[in-house]
Amino acid sequence: MPDIQLPDLIGSVRLSPSGKCLAVLWPSPPHASRWIVTDQWGSTGYEPDAKVASWTVVGAVPFSPAAGMALDGSAKRVAS
């Protein structure tokens, strides 16, 4: 897979083509992969941007930057 960098904000949610997995952009440094993937049974691990690049963006984790909120918990909206 080529090395790509998706522009998604933390908290972006993508749906796999099969419709059976969700990926949430939630980096866990120092892990190189940024997307935590889950299926109906729970977490399946982290995946790199290249793995989920073709998956459809379906939403955002509430109160995350992708939902327009700062991670520090403040109520200020992040400019989009």
Side-chain angles (χ1 to χ4, degrees), residues 30-58:
H31 202 287
S33 297
R34 304 183 320 141
W35 293 86
I36 185 71
V37 178
T38 187
D39 62 15
Q40 65 188 22
W41 296 285
S43 175
T44 62
Y46 276 88
E47 296 291 351
D49 285 2
K51 172 79 176 195
V52 302
S54 65
W55 296 17
T56 305
V57 175
V58 292

Side-chain angles (χ1 to χ4, degrees), residues 3-14 25-27 34-35 48-50 52-55 57 59 65-67 78-80:
D3 187 25
I4 63 169
Q5 189 79 4
L6 295 176
D8 299 275
L9 293 172
I10 291 175
S12 297
V13 180
R14 290 177 174 249
L25 180 56
W26 211 268
R34 304 183 320 141
W35 293 86
D49 285 2
V52 302
S54 65
W55 296 17
V57 175
V78 176
S80 42

